């Protein structure tokens, strides 16, 4: 299966639904109270949510991204977004990124459960060779979360991006390889059992 194929992924904690304009109200509610951090892009206004959906749908149409909304199964609330991005179908590589979660989903099982779904889909359905995760050097919360997944540090892309404020972003690159997936899966499953 191709990384860009739209489909619903679900487990006991979350449901990942292909992003559509119909999710705009839920995303607005989920983003409420979040600050637009300088190291991540969270659409915090009505116009930003609409632009974000258009951008993600455009990248999906071009084959470079597969965007989902994150729905918490316990209450059916939209709590954020995530994607497969930087899709390299020929080399069977993909990045999990452009992820944000609303305040009510942070520090809960939601992120772990969503990553479990995405990684299983990448490795078990799409036959991925490697899955990347990237974050800003200064985003310590994200770096810690990625490391807890069991991803290995590949390196740092120095001065990788120019940020909206003109500063330069150093991007930390992690990956999980196909032969590492069984151990990572066990770790995620153990964490979800305790959730």
């Amino acid at each position: 299966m191709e990384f860009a194929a739209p489909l619903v992924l679900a487990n006991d904690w979350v449901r990942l639904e292909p992003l559509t304009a119909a999710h705009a109200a839920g995303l607005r509610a989920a983003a409420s109270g979040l600050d637009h951090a300088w190291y991540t892009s969270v659409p915090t206004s009505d116009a930003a949510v609409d632009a974000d959906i258009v951008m993600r749908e455009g990248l999906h149409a071009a084959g470079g991204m597969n965007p989902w909304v994150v729905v918490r199964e316990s209450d059916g609330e939209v709590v954020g977004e995530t994607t497969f991005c930087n899709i390299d179908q020929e080399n069977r590589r993909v990045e999990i990124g452009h992820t944000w979660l609303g305040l009510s989903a942070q520090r809960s099982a939601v992120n772990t459960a969503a990553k479990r779904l995405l990684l299983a889909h990448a490795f078990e359905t799409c036959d991925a060779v490697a899955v990347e995760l990237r974050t800003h050097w200064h985003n310590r919360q994200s770096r810690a979360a990625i490391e807890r997944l069991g991803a290995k540090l590949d390196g740092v892309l120095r001065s990788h991006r120019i940020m909206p404020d003109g500063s330069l972003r150093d991007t930390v690159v992690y990956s999980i390889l196909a032969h590492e997936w069984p151990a990572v899966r066990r770790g995620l499953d153990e964490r979800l059992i305790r959730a």
Side-chain angles (χ1 to χ4, degrees):
M1 179 175 282
E2 293 192 357
F3 294 119
L7 73 164
V8 174
L9 303 172
N11 58 27
D12 290 342
W13 296 270
V14 296
R15 186 173 66 255
L16 305 181
E17 298 178 359
L19 174 70
T20 69
H23 293 110
L27 290 170
R28 287 184 183 98
S32 177
L34 289 175
D35 290 326
H36 181 81
W38 57 270
Y39 49 75
T40 189
S41 295
V42 177
T44 56
S45 70
D46 290 355
V49 168
D50 294 339
D52 181 73
I53 292 171
V54 169
M55 180 269 300
R56 291 177 190 236
E57 287 180 329
L59 289 170
H60 183 249
M65 177 182 279
N66 193 350
W68 286 276
V69 292
V70 181
V71 179
R72 187 172 38 221
E73 284 287 11
S74 64
D75 59 10
E77 294 293 320
V78 171
V79 294
E81 293 179 289
T82 193
T83 75
F84 276 170
C85 55
N86 294 321
I87 293 172
D88 182 353
Q89 192 65 50
E90 181 180 352
N91 291 299
R92 298 184 357 239
R93 297 181 65 90
V94 71
E95 178 186 343
I96 295 173
H98 298 275
T99 301
W100 64 268
L101 294 174
L103 293 174
S104 71
Q106 293 178 14
R107 292 176 171 49
S108 73
V110 167
N111 188 50
T112 302
K115 292 298 189 290
R116 171 64 170 86
L117 285 171
L118 292 167
L119 289 164
H121 182 58
F123 288 117
E124 297 170 15
T125 307
C126 299
D127 197 26
V129 170
V131 174
E132 287 185 10
L133 299 108
R134 297 179 178 202
T135 192
H136 194 300
W137 172 262
H138 293 294
N139 190 344
R140 298 191 190 288
Q141 181 179 343
S142 179
R143 287 172 56 191
I146 291 168
E147 290 167 7
R148 279 194 306 273
L149 289 173
K152 305 289 189 244
L153 177 65
D154 289 332
V156 180
L157 302 174
R158 298 180 305 148
S159 296
H160 182 233
R161 288 193 184 155
I162 299 172
M163 302 300 289
D165 68 356
S167 65
L168 294 172
R169 167 184 155 149
D170 291 343
T171 299
V172 186
V173 182
Y174 295 88
S175 67
I176 299 168
L177 303 181
H179 73 274
E180 297 166 337
W181 167 234
V184 170
R185 180 179 55 217
R186 276 192 303 277
L188 290 170
D189 289 344
E190 287 170 9
R191 285 172 58 194
L192 289 170
I193 287 169
R194 295 191 303 267

